[in-house]
Each structure stands twice: as C-alpha cells, then as structure tokens.
Amino acid sequence: MYGRPTLRVTLTVSAVAAAAALGLSACSDPGSATKVANNSSASASSGGSNVTTTWGLKPVDAVAALVPADFKGKAVQNGIYNDFAPQDFEENGQLVGIQPDIVQALSEVMGLKVNNISVGTFDSLIPGLSSGRYDISSADFGVTKPRLGQVDFVSEFAVGTSFATKNGSGITIDSATDLCGHTVSVLAGSYFIDQVNQASADCAKAGKAEVTLQTYPDDGARLLSVTNGRSEITATTTDAMAYAIKSQSLPLTLQKFVYQPLELGIALKKGSSLGPAMQAAMKEIVSNGTYAKILAKWGVSDIAYPSADKVTLYKDASQLPSS
C-alpha cells in the first residue's frame, strides 16, 4: 500500500476458491462485512473450543472514568479481519484468536459492549475507521509512520516478520538480501509490503535482482501461492507463520531469519476520544495478568510486554522507536 516505485509489483486478484479447496482459511465476500459476535452475549455453546465469552473481569473505576460519554450505553463497533490465525480467525462461525480475546478483556474493564464486525479484506479496515464505520479495529496492525497519518493506535506487543518456503525448494533466508531475485507473497494492505519494498531497495543498492512482490486479498490465498509454486517465499508475522504451518500441516519450511520486529496495536479513528480509555484498559489487563493468560492460551507468551509501561497510545510518528 505504501510501495516504492523501484519495486516490481504483481497484483494477484484472488485465489480464494482454490484456497478453500485445499482446506486453507477462506474469506467472506470482499464487498461485505458480517457481524458475527457480540462480545458481551455470545454463547459458548454456539462457538468452538477456543471461544471465550468472558474473562470474569469487572469494570475498573479508573478506566471506566476515561470512557467518553458518547461511547457509554452503546456498543463499540470493532472492525476485525477474520483470516489471520492465531490473531483473528473463524471457528464454527465465531471469531476467535488473540485479538477477540484481548478486546473481550478490554471491554470488561472499560464497562462497555463491543460488536466484532468480521471483514473479508484487511485493506478495507483503515478506510472503514476513517469513514466512521468502525470505532476501533483490532486486526493486528503494524504501527507504521504512514498509518499514523490516518489512524491512532494502542500498542499490544512487538512481533517480527518471518518467511516460509516450500519444502525442498532449496531456498535459505539468513538475511533480507536473500530475498533478492525471488517472488514474495504478502497480504494486501499489510505492512509487509513496506518491508519487502525496503529489502528490494537494498537488493538494488547491492547490485542484485529486485524482489517481485505479489499481494493477496486473504491469507488462504497467500499461503496457497507458495504451496502451489506461484510464489517462492511468503511473509507474515512470526506467530502467524508458525501457527499456520503447524495447524494446517502445510508443506512449508519456516526460515530462522526474523525481520524488523514492529509494534502491533489496535487502531482507532484519528483523534478518537476513546484512545486514553483503551490505553488504560490495556495497561490494566497487562497488570492483572489477563493479557499473559491470553497470549499463553495461543502459545505466544514470548511476544508479551514485560510490564504495562510498554503500552503506548500512538498518535504521531515522532513516538515511534525509530523516529
């Protein structure tokens, strides 16, 4: 989405049907958004084994006091991508994953109801925030300078980018320049586009062949691209890559190299008055241990913040560690 002109980009429109045929995660109609759950009332019996309907938390006075008056007494609309395990995906018709679990906990300590609205395409979420369709979006966003020009963020953890290749490909990635001359698939609208752009620019500076980037509208299609040989390498967050390979028994090799750990967070409309309450709620669930329980549930305890002090309300690019 924020590509550099030096990169050769191949835009693949869709391979959704083929992905579904292989049992990979599918997406809904890209033009639709379907409400699939209300955090405060979803029935455990209607969901799968990973559905959490409550963390048993009570509203915290100091947090609830920060909730703006215009958000009280109504449900916060949360745009969430439904095809990115273990962060957010569907199980038996219910949203599950790290993000739904975190938002459930946040809603409890803020004393609010939250409607999760599942969308089929990740790159529709920030426009939806800007237009007011969503109040927040807990979709595992990388906190980047271009995005901070459009939305604010409450940080959740920092995660690096990992790469996978098809078993037996002979490709080994020990550094970013090992991507040179290869075709790399990523999710449309993701910050991995920026990262691959940077790697491609480094290749050009080193006199090596640039990277050919392919973008896909959902993660099922992205994974299928490398299993069927359309792309040679695929990139996503370390947690998501490892989870997908293990849970789907994919014929992929997770490379040891991890690229540029980045802060990830929940997005809010630019200048949203809900930001301070969201930050306070995140700090609360880190301090009370719920945050650690959620990450342990999904097998990613290693990405957890060591303390609530790390939780940041990002409103300007000057706050980024690299600024």
Side-chain angles (χ1 to χ4, degrees), residues 11-83:
L11 178 60
T12 301
V13 177
S14 179
V16 177
L22 284 188
L24 302 178
S25 51
C27 71
S28 61
D29 181 349
S32 69
T34 305
K35 188 180 298 182
V36 300
N38 182 297
N39 282 26
S40 300
S41 61
S43 168
S45 62
S46 66
S49 59
N50 285 313
V51 173
T52 299
T53 59
T54 181
W55 289 100
L57 304 175
K58 302 296 183 183
V60 175
D61 290 344
V63 176
L66 295 173
V67 175
D70 56 339
F71 281 97
K72 294 182 178 179
K74 71 169 191 176
V76 174
Q77 304 303 307
N78 177 31
I80 189 164
Y81 182 52
N82 65 352
D83 190 21

Side-chain angles (χ1 to χ4, degrees), residues 30-234:
S32 69
T34 305
K35 188 180 298 182
V36 300
N38 182 297
N39 282 26
S40 300
S41 61
S43 168
S45 62
S46 66
S49 59
N50 285 313
V51 173
T52 299
T53 59
T54 181
W55 289 100
L57 304 175
K58 302 296 183 183
V60 175
D61 290 344
V63 176
L66 295 173
V67 175
D70 56 339
F71 281 97
K72 294 182 178 179
K74 71 169 191 176
V76 174
Q77 304 303 307
N78 177 31
I80 189 164
Y81 182 52
N82 65 352
D83 190 21
F84 196 60
Q87 292 290 340
D88 33 32
F89 61 107
E90 290 190 9
E91 179 182 85
N92 297 331
Q94 293 287 316
L95 279 170
V96 296
I98 295 168
Q99 297 300 327
D101 279 353
I102 284 179
V103 169
Q104 175 67 46
L106 296 179
S107 71
E108 291 178 14
V109 298
M110 288 191 292
L112 292 175
K113 294 181 179 180
V114 177
N115 283 339
N116 287 327
I117 302 172
S118 174
V119 304
T121 55
F122 180 81
D123 53 0
S124 69
L125 289 169
I126 287 180
L129 283 168
S130 298
S131 70
R133 184 173 190 176
Y134 316 122
D135 300 308
I136 65 173
S137 182
S138 63
D140 199 38
F141 284 100
V143 181
T144 65
K145 183 176 181 180
R147 285 178 176 162
L148 281 168
Q150 303 174 74
V151 294
D152 296 339
F153 290 98
V154 171
S155 68
E156 299 173 285
F157 32 70
V159 179
T161 298
S162 285
F163 303 89
T165 55
K166 189 173 182 178
N167 292 348
S169 70
I171 298 172
T172 300
I173 303 168
D174 293 320
S175 68
T177 54
D178 288 333
L179 302 175
C180 300
H182 292 296
T183 301
V184 180
S185 61
V186 300
L187 179 67
S190 66
Y191 66 84
F192 310 116
I193 295 173
D194 288 342
Q195 294 184 327
V196 175
N197 282 352
Q198 183 58 59
S200 187
D202 292 342
C203 292
K205 290 178 183 177
K208 298 183 178 181
E210 295 177 355
V211 181
T212 298
L213 179 71
Q214 294 178 345
T215 62
Y216 289 84
D218 65 85
D219 273 285
R222 175 185 63 79
L223 289 166
L224 179 63
S225 74
V226 71
T227 60
N228 70 10
R230 181 171 296 192
S231 61
E232 298 171 285
I233 301 166
T234 189

